[in-house]
Amino acid sequence: MALQCGIVGLPNVGKSTLFNCLSNAKAQAANFPFCTIEPNVGVITVPDERLTKLAELVHPGRIVPTTVEIVDIAGLVKGASKGEGLGNKFLANIRETDAIIHVLRCFDDDNVTHVDGSVDPVRDKEIIDAELQIKDLETIEQRIQKVQKQATTGGDKQAKLQYEVLCKYRDALVQGKSARSVSFETKDEQKAAKELFLLTSKPVLYVCNVDEGSATSGNKYVDQVREAIKEENAELLIVAAKTEADIAELDTYEDRQMFLAEVGLEESGVARLIKAAYALLDLETFITAGEMEVKAWTYRKGWKAPQCAGVIHTDFEKGFIRAEVIKYDDYIKYGSEAAVREAGKLSVEGKEYIVQDGDIMHFRFNV
């Protein structure tokens, strides 16, 4: 399931530094705009402590975590929607991603140039929002021209539906609001909206890049961002990218944990960011556990058992009979599959079962 989060932001806010911490693919981190011309893609392991705990009980040959793709996209600038900087290319790269990680500079440092001359994360956010909204408005206006006549004079129900969806989006965008602020009640409207692939309809996570001293509690800039996004359907995460880069250079897990403790963190910002990106894509994990391997599998939240079976192999979905399900907490409590069965805690589920995050599953199928 190749779903991607794109890291965006103005030049020199810490995008590539953060990406380097996330991935072994080293994007160039330089103190000038457009040091990232081609989008860098990193396949990132999703931290999941459940796999380690299960492995201690099962003693498998290997542990296989799940992954998420992160794309480092070059910095946007004012006028990108009109092709300023490398605007058209950047916007195309954003369009191809499934969710956006929007990095905002929330630290003072005279040695790091700001493209607009001063630190103001809310202004920076609004610059990028405006550029994406302008591009979406262009898309909407073009679509309206194509369907308006059919929708208003003909009897084409689908055109009428599309027209109504487009007008709702246009009204929001003209007011300076992102498409994600618009909600639709019917499934037909939701389907028509999704097919537009608007830039500002993508789910967004705002990452406030702070100095080391603000890594745990934030600062005035973070407070400003939090206030600015309170009416958006968006998440906020505080990360000190430079500190994370220092942590990434340490050789051992113990050294990294000691460093985290010194700055007052229980978990690295990178780990929190990866988990947040995974959730942003509306992804969850089911697990298979055996002597060969303990493995995490990615599925979309809300999927039913046959769809999840198809993640392992398409034949599993086609010939699905049933799923044997153990809740993660029960497996840990009883210590083995046999003990779970004996305690009556293994459930047998059919085609309508909605898989839950952390379910340990075994599929029965016939092809």
Side-chain angles (χ1 to χ4, degrees):
M1 187 182 295
L3 296 175
Q4 294 183 336
C5 279
I7 299 181
V8 304
L10 293 181
N12 297 341
V13 298
K15 300 184 312 303
S16 294
T17 300
L18 199 56
F19 179 82
N20 289 344
C21 296
L22 288 166
S23 170
N24 289 328
K26 295 295 182 184
Q28 182 186 1
N31 184 22
F32 56 90
F34 312 128
C35 65
T36 312
I37 305 301
E38 298 296 334
N40 293 271
V41 181
V43 180
I44 316 297
T45 297
V46 179
D48 195 334
E49 298 80 4
R50 295 173 300 190
L51 301 180
T52 304
K53 291 183 178 179
L54 284 169
E56 290 171 357
L57 299 173
V58 178
H59 305 295
R62 60 179 179 168
I63 300 173
V64 184
T66 190
T67 60
V68 63
E69 289 189 8
I70 306 288
V71 187
D72 180 26
I73 297 170
L76 285 172
V77 294
K78 190 181 292 185
S81 58
K82 304 299 181 186
E84 291 296 324
L86 299 173
N88 291 331
K89 192 165 189 176
F90 298 168
L91 291 167
N93 290 335
I94 293 170
R95 196 178 297 281
E96 291 170 5
T97 64
D98 301 283
I100 295 172
I101 299 170
H102 188 157
V103 182
L104 296 166
R105 176 173 170 176
C106 294
F107 65 90
D108 293 307
D109 188 338
D110 293 337
N111 294 319
V112 180
T113 306
H114 191 290
V115 71
D116 283 322
S118 62
V119 178
D120 186 341
V122 175
R123 177 202 60 207
D124 295 353
K125 168 195 172 310
E126 289 172 349
I127 287 172
I128 288 189
D129 283 351
E131 295 304 324
L132 300 183
Q133 289 163 9
I134 289 167
K135 204 66 183 176
D136 277 349
L137 191 56
E138 288 178 9
T139 301
I140 293 295
E141 295 288 8
Q142 290 169 3
R143 296 291 182 92
I144 284 177
Q145 287 178 11
K146 289 181 180 179
V147 302
Q148 187 171 12
K149 189 173 182 180
Q150 289 174 286
T152 54
T153 61
D156 190 329
K157 290 183 179 179
Q158 187 60 30
K160 187 173 185 296
L161 174 73
Q162 290 176 350
Y163 181 67
E164 289 172 353
V165 167
L166 289 165
C167 287
K168 280 187 181 180
Y169 272 143
R170 181 174 62 183
D171 290 345
L173 290 163
V174 167
Q175 295 174 49
K177 297 178 181 178
S178 293
R180 77 181 70 89
S181 68
V182 181
S183 58
F184 297 97
E185 294 181 3
T186 70
K187 287 187 177 179
D188 287 339
E189 285 180 324
Q190 291 166 4
K191 184 173 184 290
K194 192 174 183 180
E195 288 172 351
L196 293 171
F197 298 104
L198 297 178
L199 297 168
T200 64
S201 67
K202 299 177 187 293
V204 63
L205 169 69
Y206 291 103
V207 176
C208 293
N209 183 15
V210 300
D211 57 280
E212 184 176 310
S214 304
T216 54
S217 57
N219 55 30
K220 64 179 182 179
Y221 297 126
V222 175
D223 293 339
Q224 290 166 9
V225 174
R226 190 175 280 117
E227 177 66 20
I229 69 168
K230 66 182 182 182
E231 294 183 4
E232 287 191 40
N233 183 21
E235 301 291 327
L236 183 146
L237 192 69
I238 301 170
V239 174
K242 189 171 184 301
T243 303
E244 295 292 326
D246 292 339
I247 293 171
E249 293 296 321
L250 298 174
D251 293 330
T252 68
Y253 173 80
E254 290 74 17
D255 287 343
R256 290 192 289 272
Q257 291 303 113
M258 191 179 300
F259 194 126
L260 286 171
E262 286 176 4
V263 297
L265 294 172
E266 292 183 6
E267 186 178 32
S268 75
V270 165
R272 288 183 287 114
L273 177 55
I274 296 169
K275 290 177 181 178
Y278 194 68
L280 191 66
L281 292 167
D282 214 19
L283 302 178
E284 293 183 333
T285 301
F286 73 86
I287 302 168
T288 53
E291 290 184 2
M292 183 178 295
E293 65 183 15
V294 167
K295 184 169 183 175
W297 301 86
T298 299
Y299 70 96
R300 274 284 176 89
K301 187 176 182 179
W303 276 13
K304 294 179 180 179
Q307 289 174 287
C308 288
V311 174
I312 299 177
H313 197 288
T314 52
D315 286 349
F316 284 26
E317 182 174 6
K318 290 175 186 174
F320 180 88
I321 300 172
R322 64 181 183 272
E324 296 177 355
V325 182
I326 301 173
K327 297 300 178 186
Y328 169 78
D329 288 342
D330 286 335
Y331 204 115
I332 296 301
K333 178 180 178 180
Y334 293 101
S336 70
E337 183 178 325
V340 170
R341 286 178 182 274
E342 192 173 329
K345 293 293 184 178
L346 182 147
S347 63
V348 177
E349 306 290 352
K351 292 182 178 180
E352 295 304 308
Y353 176 69
I354 297 174
V355 176
Q356 303 298 306
D357 185 54
D359 278 354
I360 298 162
M361 307 193 72
H362 183 68
F363 297 104
R364 301 291 183 182
F365 68 102
N366 182 28
V367 178

